[in-house]
Amino acid sequence: MFSGMRKFWISALAAIAVSCTGGGRMDCGDSVSLSSGWKLSSSTVGGQFDATVPSTVAGTLNEGGYFGKNVLEGTAYKDIDKSVFDSPWTYRTSFSASPSAGQKYELVFEGLDFYADIVLNGEKIASSDTTKGVFIRRAYDVTSLLKKKNNLEVTLRRAQSGDLNIGFVDWNPRPVDESMGIVRPVYLHATGDISVEDVFVIPSLDTETLSSADLEVRVRLRNRSASPSSGEIRLSLEGVGEASVPVSLGAGETSVFKITPTELPLLHLDNPRVWWSHDLGTPELYTLGTSFVCEGKVSDRKETTFGVRKIESRLIGENYRQFTLNGKDILIKGAGWTDDIFLQDTPESLRRQVEYVKDMNLNCIRFENIWGKDDTVYDLCDRLGVLALVGWSCQWEWEDYCGLPESDGYGCINDPESEDMAVKYFRDQVVRLHNHPAVIAWMTGSDRIPNPGLEKRYMEIYSAEEYRPYVNSAKNQMSSVSGWSGTKMEGPYEYVGPDYWFFDTEAGGAFGFNTETGIGANIPQIESLRRMIPQDKLWPVSEAWDYHCTASSSAMNSVSMLSKAIENHYGGASSLEDFVRKAHAIDYNGTGGMFAAFRARIPTTTGIVQWMLNSAWPSLYWQLYDWYGVPTAGYYGTKKACEPMQLLFDWQERMVYAVSESPENRVLTAEVKVYDKDSRLLSEGKVPAMMTYRDSRPVFDLSQFDGLPHYVFLCLKDGDGNIISDNFYAIPKKDNAYDFSKTNWYLTPFTRWADLAFTFENPAPTPSISTEPVEGGYRVTVTNSSEKISHMNVLKALDKEGNLIVPALWSDNFFSLAPGQTKTVECLTKAQGVEFTIGN
């Protein structure tokens, strides 16, 4: 938990936890986190396991060594005995408190998966016949039950077929326990008679000048007593001041009080600190303290972090959804998130991953499933300036995954019980996330749209609890309730070349907002492969590889397409190292080419989301970095393609475009060098390039080299000759050709494969490297002193055991060098004693 909102909250929790352990008194508004000291047990497995909360049962067993070592590597995971999860499992803990007269105490569970019986001090406060559903926040008044020494038991049963549960769909094997557990925080909260249930801040920014903003603050109060109550809502706005308004509530009343600058001038901001995504500015945050005060005493309080910014969207062209941030049109460039299969992400691993997104020059993460054991990942998006696109998972839209029947294109949520649960989920999750400035929109469907009755219920909640754009589906669909989605989800999910995105005009190509797509296999670096696949199964490629592809029953469940691409593009592979090297080239060019196309075709393009960002387990598919945290070739292809100012090749028009998404206007010099397949210089040139925001303009015509295999080196330089960005292409004699008429949901077939064998025909020259330590890491200089092009140089930072260091972020990697070229890059790492090499 990293946001400003959480700084106060965590420090308060830590102090209270210490005092409560010793029986100290809680002040009104205090919370005690019940995260540690749990024991987990079941009648089916002997003994007890130490547990922390949030966690899943399987995750706790994994940490306790029950499954053995490295159960996710090799094929051990499929041999886990799932029957041990058919019986209930019980979490137990004890905690101290000193109940005070006049205070109310709530025991809060942010997420229980799936059926729960809860017992406090021998009294059952919740029963599994009614306490079911993972995305529901539950709070129980335990005032009458609380003692100095308290014993808490939570007994859980796993989700069954037909339950609306956390879903990994076909991205990886299903969790062996169906994610059964206490999967979100548990805490004890103390209040007076009036509790502050929610604080919702709605900023209204003057996008013409950015010089003023008004805040509307909606405070939901609950009177827990049997008598009317009067007092004041007191607001303390960081860096601005304090003010209060008087309010009254009837006995047992819950009410929302809307406070605007009319009531409190404090809420009008001159020259506000504006929240921007990291690529456009600084993600500025404010903290608002809200308390209810009665007769000079605080009854309850909340700390809220928010950002002053304006998110809007509109439909342009052929119903393409265009998002704007603070009045600026933006191209959404993102990737799809998944949690760890055991929900074992840590604050450190989450921070690393969100920083990876920034490092790749992406500006968005798509959270299909409302991921996160707590708000940490969303807090990180707020602090680091990464947009978040949130919504429901397609897990609930396909009978094979959900267990409920599909109906008329509306997915599986169509019976009254499921609809009621989905509506409860929606209300609680919208409220949970509605102060996060990073969140730009909610998607209530992925592959389908909600049925009209359900969608009307969603929208009634949304209009009361949200103000950002509402999107009914990730797919191009029309709703009778909310209109066009403005998105598309037509694939591909399997390999296509970098030219596909320029030529396709009907499916996944570079137009509109493609909410999930990619080239299929994104092979990890060889060091990770050696960890996840048994040594005797590494070469030749075998079924052991296929096990770590997707879990789809229909496609993408083997590396056969990747092997086919290597065979047709490069003439096959002679060894594991050769296979990996060529797989990296396919990934770098294919994934980077996808992002390049959507940038070169601005403003026809409005969004592109790589499927996926990360993996829930050691995988070969759909990832920009692997489960171990090691970037793939596609990571660096993406980073290169998404440089704020970059030169990009349009495969259809045969032109190089100067593309800018930087808010800074600059005049740079664009340079090009063209070499034939034997590394002989054919042509070079330079032209001035005016770089302005969201501009894509042609600077070089390369059509004269059509029919000739060649290499293209590109760079942008400033007036002092400093390189702002560079790029590289290997262009074949003939491009790929596709049978677009036979496109299906995941693939467009090839009718001709581009011959790229020339890129690996001859032994590659091995550049020399030199290193020097610098602040934050190392500076690495790579020199190609030969007369041949050195293709796909993979720089590696290794520890003393020869393992890749994580994290180790390179300013550039998987790059090619022209004859005689020297390139200096930086490697950001805290590791010491690093060995640097060039490998596969």
Side-chain angles (χ1 to χ4, degrees):
M1 300 179 180
F2 296 99
S3 76
M5 174 175 73
R6 297 296 181 178
K7 287 179 182 177
F8 169 88
W9 199 240
I10 291 174
S11 61
L13 287 181
I16 297 161
V18 171
S19 64
C20 286
T21 300
R25 180 182 178 276
M26 295 175 67
D27 292 328
C28 290
D30 287 348
S31 291
V32 177
S33 173
L34 304 181
S35 60
S36 60
W38 293 80
K39 298 290 185 180
L40 178 65
S41 62
S42 172
S43 60
T44 58
V45 175
Q48 291 185 327
F49 296 85
D50 292 332
T52 57
V53 167
S55 65
T56 66
V57 171
T60 300
L61 298 188
N62 186 47
E63 286 187 351
Y66 178 76
F67 300 134
K69 188 178 180 181
N70 303 328
V71 70
L72 297 181
E73 297 174 346
T75 58
Y77 184 80
K78 68 180 179 181
D79 297 325
I80 292 175
D81 179 9
K82 297 181 183 179
S83 67
V84 301
F85 305 108
D86 292 337
S87 299
W89 284 77
T90 300
Y91 286 81
R92 293 181 175 88
T93 193
S94 61
F95 61 95
S96 300
S98 293
S100 299
Q103 283 189 332
K104 312 290 185 183
Y105 299 91
E106 272 193 334
L107 187 59
V108 181
F109 296 84
E110 297 283 357
L112 297 168
D113 196 335
F114 193 86
Y115 297 87
D117 292 289
I118 306 172
V119 177
L120 178 65
N121 296 331
E123 295 286 334
K124 180 176 282 191
I125 61 175
S127 176
S128 58
D129 57 346
T130 56
T131 309
K132 55 185 177 180
V134 63
F135 293 124
I136 298 175
R137 180 184 184 273
R138 297 177 171 89
Y140 301 96
D141 187 339
V142 296
T143 305
S144 63
L145 297 177
L146 205 61
K147 302 176 181 179
K148 287 189 175 181
K149 181 72 171 179
N150 300 276
N151 297 306
L152 177 60
E153 295 183 2
V154 182
T155 299
L156 295 153
R157 289 186 295 113
R158 68 173 179 84
Q160 305 296 309
S161 178
D163 288 331
L164 304 183
N165 193 24
I166 292 173
F168 292 85
V169 203
D170 59 356
W171 313 337
N172 46 263
R174 291 182 80 112
V176 288
D177 62 346
E178 298 295 330
S179 301
M180 171 173 51
I182 303 176
V183 297
R184 287 192 178 156
V186 182
Y187 55 92
L188 183 70
H189 185 67
T191 74
D193 286 342
I194 308 300
S195 59
V196 180
E197 298 291 297
D198 183 52
V199 178
F200 179 24
V201 182
I202 304 175
S204 178
L205 175 67
D206 177 358
T207 57
E208 291 294 324
T209 65
L210 305 182
S211 63
S212 67
D214 288 334
L215 307 178
E216 178 183 312
V217 180
R218 299 180 184 178
V219 183
R220 181 182 294 113
L221 299 180
R222 178 184 174 190
N223 185 353
R224 297 173 176 273
S225 75
S227 302
S229 183
S230 297
E232 63 182 25
I233 296 173
R234 186 173 295 170
L235 302 181
S236 176
L237 184 57
E238 173 198 1
V240 180
E242 297 183 2
S244 60
V245 294
V247 296
S248 297
L249 291 97
E253 179 185 357
T254 298
S255 187
V256 176
F257 296 89
K258 297 181 181 180
I259 309 171
T260 69
T262 301
E263 290 80 31
L264 288 184
L266 173 82
L267 300 180
H268 173 78
L269 304 178
D270 289 319
N271 301 313
R273 293 182 284 108
V274 178
W275 189 95
W276 289 97
S277 56
H278 73 91
D279 52 329
L280 295 178
T282 303
E284 298 281 1
L285 296 172
Y286 284 86
T287 300
L288 176 69
T290 305
S291 58
F292 181 83
V293 180
C294 181
E295 298 180 351
K297 295 181 179 180
V298 173
S299 181
D300 198 9
R301 67 178 187 272
K302 282 189 180 295
E303 294 280 334
T304 305
T305 293
F306 67 94
V308 174
R309 55 94 186 90
K310 191 167 188 176
I311 292 286
E312 298 175 290
S313 76
R314 67 187 188 279
L315 298 183
I316 65 170
E318 299 181 31
N319 292 317
Y320 307 151
R321 186 169 296 277
Q322 175 66 64
F323 280 92
T324 66
L325 174 61
N326 301 329
K328 286 182 176 287
D329 285 353
I330 56 175
L331 175 67
I332 299 295
K333 303 182 296 294
W337 179 279
T338 180
D339 278 0
D340 177 81
I341 195 170
F342 290 136
L343 303 190
Q344 290 185 306
D345 292 302
T346 65
E348 294 75 21
S349 71
L350 294 174
R351 184 179 185 91
R352 181 175 69 234
Q353 293 181 78
V354 179
E355 288 179 337
Y356 279 178
V357 173
K358 282 187 61 178
D359 185 61
M360 284 185 282
N361 299 306
L362 300 179
N363 60 9
C364 184
I365 299 173
R366 182 181 168 202
F367 294 95
E368 180 191 336
N369 196 41
I370 315 300
W371 291 108
K373 294 185 295 186
D374 52 29
D375 280 4
T376 299
V377 71
Y378 304 103
D379 291 343
L380 284 165
C381 288
D382 294 341
R383 290 192 66 201
L384 297 177
V386 174
L387 304 171
L389 188 59
V390 302
W392 291 149
S393 167
C394 66
Q395 173 89 5
W396 304 342
E397 296 171 342
W398 299 99
E399 185 172 353
D400 287 350
Y401 304 114
C402 179
L404 293 173
E406 302 164 34
S407 175
D408 299 324
Y410 296 125
C412 303
I413 308 175
N414 299 294
D415 62 278
E417 182 179 0
S418 297
E419 288 186 4
D420 288 347
M421 180 166 286
V423 168
K424 291 178 182 177
Y425 283 3
F426 188 67
R427 182 186 303 278
D428 283 0
Q429 298 311 306
V430 167
V431 170
R432 172 194 173 200
L433 297 177
H434 63 186
N435 284 310
H436 286 282
V439 174
I440 60 170
W442 256 87
M443 288 181 172
T444 53
S446 180
D447 303 16
R448 311 289 182 88
I449 57 176
N451 71 60
L454 177 59
E455 188 172 21
K456 288 177 182 177
R457 296 175 70 184
Y458 282 159
M459 293 190 72
E460 181 180 354
I461 294 169
Y462 205 74
S463 63
E465 301 292 355
E466 256 296 0
Y467 61 92
R468 282 162 271 222
Y470 168 94
V471 182
N472 58 41
S473 174
K475 195 170 184 177
N476 183 26
Q477 299 184 82
M478 173 68 178
S479 162
S480 61
V481 176
S482 57
W484 284 104
S485 65
T487 56
K488 66 175 183 176
M489 200 182 78
E490 306 298 329
Y493 297 89
E494 190 59 282
Y495 178 68
V496 291
D499 48 9
Y500 162 88
W501 311 97
F502 292 91
F503 285 99
D504 173 74
T505 59
E506 299 294 332
F511 59 92
F513 187 172
N514 195 334
T515 60
E516 54 177 76
T517 191
I519 67 163
N522 306 109
I523 295 295
Q525 294 192 44
I526 198 167
E527 291 81 0
S528 293
L529 286 172
R530 294 188 189 279
R531 296 175 68 178
M532 60 188 285
I533 297 173
Q535 185 67 29
D536 62 344
K537 303 292 178 59
L538 271 169
W539 187 257
V541 170
S542 65
E543 290 182 0
W545 288 59
D546 297 344
Y547 180 63
H548 288 273
C549 295
T550 81
S552 172
S553 61
S554 56
M556 303 161 294
N557 48 25
S558 76
V559 292
S560 59
M561 187 64 182
L562 176 62
S563 297
K564 184 177 182 180
I566 290 173
E567 181 67 34
N568 284 282
H569 281 322
Y570 301 111
S574 59
S575 65
L576 172 65
E577 291 74 14
D578 192 35
F579 184 91
V580 171
R581 181 168 54 248
K582 290 169 179 174
H584 285 336
I586 283 174
D587 188 12
Y588 185 96
N589 296 327
T591 303
M594 175 183 72
F595 282 102
F598 275 75
R599 296 192 70 216
R601 292 292 172 89
I602 291 172
T604 304
T605 53
T606 60
I608 173 66
V609 178
Q610 149 76 15
W611 204 250
M612 299 176 67
L613 174 66
N614 57 349
S615 293
W617 78 315
S619 177
L620 305 178
Y621 256 76
W622 298 343
Q623 58 191 357
L624 293 175
Y625 49 89
D626 66 28
W627 184 74
Y628 304 102
V630 177
T632 63
Y635 179 110
Y636 287 100
T638 297
K639 180 174 181 173
K640 179 68 68 177
C642 294
E643 289 278 357
M645 297 181 181
Q646 184 57 287
L647 297 175
L648 302 170
F649 180 61
D650 187 315
W651 291 83
Q652 184 181 44
E653 296 185 9
R654 320 308 288 179
M655 303 286 289
V656 173
Y657 278 75
V659 179
S660 176
E661 290 180 272
S662 169
E664 179 185 8
N665 294 336
R666 299 184 70 177
V667 177
L668 301 176
T669 298
E671 297 184 359
V672 60
K673 289 185 178 181
V674 180
Y675 294 82
D676 69 10
K677 68 182 184 67
D678 296 315
S679 302
R680 291 187 292 256
L681 182 65
L682 298 178
S683 177
E684 59 183 319
K686 61 177 66 177
V687 296
M690 180 65 193
M691 313 298 288
T692 59
Y693 181 65
R694 284 179 58 82
D695 187 40
S696 176
R697 62 181 66 190
V699 289
F700 297 117
D701 184 348
L702 300 186
S703 60
Q704 61 181 301
F705 304 106
D706 286 355
L708 179 71
H710 57 286
Y711 298 102
V712 179
F713 287 84
L714 302 163
C715 74
L716 282 169
K717 293 181 178 179
D718 65 15
D720 295 325
N722 299 309
I723 295 176
I724 303 302
S725 66
D726 60 13
N727 209 350
F728 168 83
Y729 289 90
I731 300 178
K733 181 177 181 179
K734 292 183 178 180
D735 294 341
N736 298 298
Y738 304 89
D739 189 343
F740 293 106
S741 68
K742 293 183 179 179
T743 294
N744 58 31
W745 67 273
Y746 69 94
L747 178 69
T748 294
F750 286 78
T751 59
R752 180 180 68 231
W753 295 77
D755 184 358
L756 293 164
F758 70 94
T759 60
F760 291 111
E761 272 181 344
N762 301 311
T766 301
S768 62
I769 61 174
S770 62
T771 64
E772 62 175 314
V774 295
E775 184 177 356
Y778 299 84
R779 182 175 295 118
V780 180
T781 300
V782 187
T783 300
N784 176 20
S785 57
S786 78
E787 297 180 353
K788 297 293 184 181
I789 289 169
S790 179
H791 185 45
M792 290 295 293
N793 295 287
V794 184
L795 301 182
K796 297 176 183 284
L798 305 174
D799 62 21
K800 293 179 180 179
E801 285 72 42
N803 300 312
L804 288 171
I805 292 169
V806 176
L809 291 182
W810 294 89
S811 59
D812 198 2
N813 207 342
F814 293 82
F815 53 79
S816 297
L817 294 174
Q821 182 182 357
T822 294
K823 185 182 183 74
T824 299
V825 296
E826 289 194 350
C827 177
L828 299 180
T829 181
K830 296 179 180 179
Q832 301 295 316
V834 181
E835 178 187 358
F836 292 99
T837 66
I838 298 177
N840 298 304

